[in-house]
Amino acid sequence: GLNVAASRRTTGNHKIYTQLETELARFFGAETAVLLPDGYFAPLAVAQALAGEFTHAFIDELAHGALVDAARMLDCPVKKFKHRDAADLAKLIAKCGRNARPIILTDGMFAHDGSVAPLREYLKILPARGVILVDDAHGAGVLGATGKGSLEFSGVSRNRVIQCATLSKAFGAYGGVVLAARTTLREKILARSWTF
C-alpha cells in the first residue's frame, strides 16, 4: 500500500483507496464516498466543488474551523446563526427571498459539549433547493444505533445532506471522507477541488 506522495489525480491513487471508498459508502448507506487525506479537508473539498452554486451560506456560530474555512470558499454571502437555533436560522433564511438557494453548515456533534445539531428542524425550514453540509467528525462512528453519525441519530435521509467525517477519531485511522446521496457531487469534487 505504498503511495508515491502525489495527488490521486496524477500518480498517487491506489486501488485500496477505491476499496475503502466503497466500504465507507456501504457502511454509511451513501451512494458515494470520496476519500481525502485528512478530515479537515472534507468540507473544504465540498465547498470548492460547489462554489458559486448557492446564494447564501448560513453557519452555526460555534462551527468547527473546517466549516468556517469552507464557508469562505462558497463564493456567496455568509451569515452566522445562533448555536443550534433553528428559529434564528429560519429568520435569516426568510430574509433571503423566494429564489434563494441556501447552504447550511453545521457540526453534527459539537466537540465542546457533545450536543447534536437539530438536523430534522433545519430540514423543515430549508428551501427545497437548499443543502446542509454536516461536519460529522465527532459524530461518525459514535452517534446512531449503528454508528453512522448524526444523520442516523436524527433520523434524516441524506437526500439534501452532505456528510463529512474524519477517520482519525472513532475509526482509529487517518483520512477524511465526503458522503453523499448523488454521484454528481463526487464528479464535481474530482473536477473542481484543489484539496482533493
Side-chain angles (χ1 to χ4, degrees), residues 11 17 19 45 50 67 77-78 116 122 158:
T11 58
Y17 302 157
Q19 292 170 347
L50 300 180
L67 289 173
V78 179
V116 179
Y122 292 170
R158 38 183 90 254

Side-chain angles (χ1 to χ4, degrees), residues 129-147:
R129 296 178 13 169
V131 172
I132 302 177
L133 175 58
V134 177
D135 182 343
D136 219 8
H138 299 95
V142 177
L143 291 177
T146 60

Side-chain angles (χ1 to χ4, degrees), residues 81-104:
F81 63 92
K82 293 177 186 172
H83 181 51
R84 299 179 59 241
D85 191 331
D88 186 49
L89 177 60
K91 288 177 191 173
L92 292 171
I93 290 175
K95 294 178 183 177
C96 295
R98 291 181 52 201
N99 295 323
R101 183 168 189 214
I103 181 169
I104 299 168

Side-chain angles (χ1 to χ4, degrees), residues 67-83:
L67 289 173
V68 174
D69 288 345
R72 294 181 185 129
M73 297 179 176
L74 286 167
D75 195 25
C76 65
V78 179
K79 300 275 186 192
K80 290 182 180 179
F81 63 92
K82 293 177 186 172
H83 181 51

